[in-house]
């Protein structure tokens, strides 16, 4: 039997992934290579919604790709590629844009959050249509499951709605309906300085975010200065102790120890001891990734070659879907 297909993407919008990206997404992607037909991409077309310079886009796309490989994605076992290398993404996005209501797109909460930053009217139209490009990414590959953090749930619901609409309107079983694949314990890693908000490259302060490619010394300082809560017990309690709870989740995910075991281990211990252990677990996880990413970035030609292999595999699947979709919608064949 064919393996179920899994697909996900990450934006090259900063110089490093952060701990939320790693725990909520990329770390789940690695074992899925063994059980699924896996496609993972650096979504550079999404990144231009916030207008990076050409040099930034180029550098960040390679840094993102290098981190994916450094985190354990294997070009032999999954297709790792850059979104813009498969032209069909933009084409299918346009077709889906024409099938999406303005009101429907306007309900996307991530657009509301992100556009608020630019001031009303100044956000690009691309930022508004961003979730529809994401729907195209997913549908092109007949994806069964999409491993993401909780913030992407609404975009996957929109993707399902659009797939269903297309299939119903054009009378063909053109697209597979995808499901989110979300690991509850790590679906929302929060900001170290504001533990009720998501750790986010666009809205967290530098002190609130732990970058995968960051120096160990800085990582340690940030964890030690993380906002903790009143009282001194180290127990999970989202309501009253969001800071400690976030750190417990992080330590649990990084060490494979349950939260209950951690709570038992730290009875009577102070926040200082606990945070030191969290910092060490983060550093131990990130150091080898950083080392591997640096090696990959030192040989750009080889990195680009690895991405070309991934793009060729992705293109084959995307082209097949697009042929079906064009024909279903009524576009004339080119030959
Ligand atoms: P992006 O680049 O913002 O984030 C990449 C992945 O990291 C997850 N994530 C988190 N998970 C837990 N806690 C956090 N604090 C946290 N912050 C980020 C995100 O949920 C995501 O899974 N729109 C997507 C990129 C995309 C995509 C796709 C995803 C484009 N096309 C197709 C899946 C399928 C995004 O902006 O991710």
């Amino acid at each position: 039997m064919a393996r179920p297909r899994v697909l996900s993407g990450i934006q090259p919008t900063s110089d490093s992934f952060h701990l939320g990206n790693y725990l909520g997404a990329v770390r789940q992607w690695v074992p899925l290579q063994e059980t699924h037909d896996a496609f993972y991409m650096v979504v550079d077309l999404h990144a231009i919604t916030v207008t990076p310079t050409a040099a930034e886009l180029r550098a960040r796309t390679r840094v993102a790709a290098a981190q994916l490989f450094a985190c354990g994605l294997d070009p032999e076992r999954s297709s790792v590629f850059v979104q813009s290398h498969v032209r069909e993404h933009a084409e299918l996005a346009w077709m889906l844009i024409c099938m999406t209501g303005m009101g429907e797109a306007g309900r996307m909460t991530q657009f509301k959050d992100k556009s608020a930053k630019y001031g009303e009217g100044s956000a690009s139209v691309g930022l508004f249509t961003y979730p529809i490009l994401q729907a195209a990414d997913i549908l092109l590959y007949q994806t069964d499951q999409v491993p993401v953090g909780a913030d992407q749930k609404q975009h996957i619901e929109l993707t399902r709605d659009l797939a269903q609409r297309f299939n119903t309107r054009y009378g063909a079983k053109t697209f597979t309906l995808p499901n989110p694949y979300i690991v509850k314990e790590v679906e929302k890693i929060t900001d170290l300085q504001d533990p009720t908000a998501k750790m986010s490259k666009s809205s967290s302060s530098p002190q609130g975010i732990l970058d995968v490619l960051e120096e160990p010394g800085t990582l340690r300082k940030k964890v030690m200065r993380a906002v903790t809560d009143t009282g001194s017990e180290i127990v999970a309690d989202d309501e009253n102790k969001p800071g400690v709870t976030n750190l417990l989740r992080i330590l649990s995910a990084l060490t494979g120890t349950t939260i209950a075991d951690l709570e038992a281990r730290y009875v009577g211990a102070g926040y200082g001891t606990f945070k030191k252990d969290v910092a060490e677990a983060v550093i131990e996880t990130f150091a080898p990734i950083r080392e591997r990413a640096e090696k990959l970035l030192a040989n750009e030609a080889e990195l680009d070659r690895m991405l070309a292999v991934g793009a060729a595999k992705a293109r084959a699947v995307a082209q097949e879907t697009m042929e079906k979709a064009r024909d279903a919608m009524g576009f004339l064949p080119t030959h």
Side-chain angles (χ1 to χ4, degrees), residues 11 20-21 130 134 137 148-149 151-152 187 189 198-199:
Q11 294 201 71
N21 299 137
Y130 173 115
Q134 181 168 352
D137 297 341
V148 284
D151 59 347
Q152 300 300 312
E187 66 172 15
I189 300 299
K198 183 182 76 162
M199 185 180 286

Side-chain angles (χ1 to χ4, degrees), residues 7-11 18 20-21 24-25 41 43 46 110 114 130 134 137-138 146-152 155 186-189 198-199 201:
L7 170 137
S8 201
I10 188 158
Q11 294 201 71
H18 59 67
N21 299 137
M41 65 188 155
V43 294
H46 279 99
Q110 212 172 47
K114 287 195 181 175
Y130 173 115
Q134 181 168 352
D137 297 341
I138 298 169
V146 189
V148 284
D151 59 347
Q152 300 300 312
H155 293 167
V186 286
E187 66 172 15
K188 183 182 168 190
I189 300 299
K198 183 182 76 162
M199 185 180 286
K201 47 195 156 197

Side-chain angles (χ1 to χ4, degrees), residues 263-331:
E263 286 171 339
R265 180 185 306 168
Y266 291 106
V267 170
Y271 283 159
T273 312
F274 170 55
K275 283 177 165 178
K276 214 184 270 163
D277 289 353
V278 175
E280 291 317 311
V282 171
I283 290 166
E284 242 172 68
T285 307
F286 285 178
I289 298 175
R290 182 169 157 219
E291 205 175 296
R292 284 195 291 269
E294 276 168 5
K295 265 199 201 124
L296 285 154
L297 285 164
N299 188 350
E300 282 184 358
E302 174 59 10
L303 182 62
D304 290 355
R305 191 200 61 79
M306 289 158 82
L307 292 170
V309 170
K313 289 194 272 182
R315 217 173 278 131
V317 179
Q319 284 173 349
E320 194 183 322
T321 306
M322 267 321 284
E323 264 172 45
K324 268 204 315 191
R326 286 187 203 112
D327 182 56
M329 220 177 193
F331 289 103

